């Protein structure tokens, strides 16, 4: 799906692949923090995706387990972002 990270279509394709993962974790957090806006969850997911892509550029071995790496990053980054919002 990703040929060039500077290509909009490639990034859009990757976003749609990971969007289901972001939605899954967003729904889990919405049960506990219902006032947090859905767009904010997606923004956190996109920021996490960008960080993972930057890391994968430096460490190409991440690409082999990209989905797992993204999930772990999302699980780590989302609660940190929520804490900043709440406290």
């Amino acid at each position: 799906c990703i040929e060039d990270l500077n290509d909009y279509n490639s990034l859009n394709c990757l976003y749609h692949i990971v969007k289901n993962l972001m939605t899954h974790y967003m729904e889990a957090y919405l049960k506990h923090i219902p006032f947090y806006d859905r767009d904010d969850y997606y923004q956190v997911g996109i920021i996490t995706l960008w960080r993972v892509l930057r890391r994968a550029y430096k460490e190409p071995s991440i690409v082999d387990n990209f989905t797992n790496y993204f999930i772990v990053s999302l699980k780590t980054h989302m609660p940190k972002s929520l804490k900043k919002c709440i406290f």
Side-chain angles (χ1 to χ4, degrees):
C1 183
I2 294 294
E3 294 82 28
D4 179 14
L5 292 179
N6 294 319
D7 178 41
Y8 172 78
N9 291 328
S10 295
L11 288 174
N12 194 34
C13 175
L14 184 59
Y15 169 74
H16 285 292
I17 290 170
V18 298
K19 185 177 178 184
N20 290 334
L21 294 170
M22 290 189 290
T23 303
H24 172 75
Y25 288 103
M26 175 186 67
E27 294 296 330
Y29 285 111
L30 275 173
K31 293 176 185 174
H32 303 289
I33 308 170
F35 59 85
Y36 203 63
D37 189 30
R38 288 175 183 267
D39 290 338
D40 293 333
Y41 283 105
Y42 283 117
Q43 184 176 8
V44 169
I46 292 169
I47 291 168
T48 302
L49 174 61
W50 182 247
R51 288 180 177 173
V52 169
L53 289 173
R54 282 188 12 215
R55 183 96 187 242
Y57 182 76
K58 295 176 186 173
E59 297 177 41
S61 62
I62 290 173
V63 174
D64 297 335
N65 296 310
F66 183 82
T67 304
N68 292 334
Y69 192 84
F70 178 75
I71 289 171
V72 170
S73 297
L74 192 61
K75 285 181 176 180
T76 304
H77 190 70
M78 210 172 261
K80 287 180 182 178
S81 296
L82 294 173
K83 270 186 176 178
K84 288 179 185 177
C85 176
I86 295 170
F87 298 112

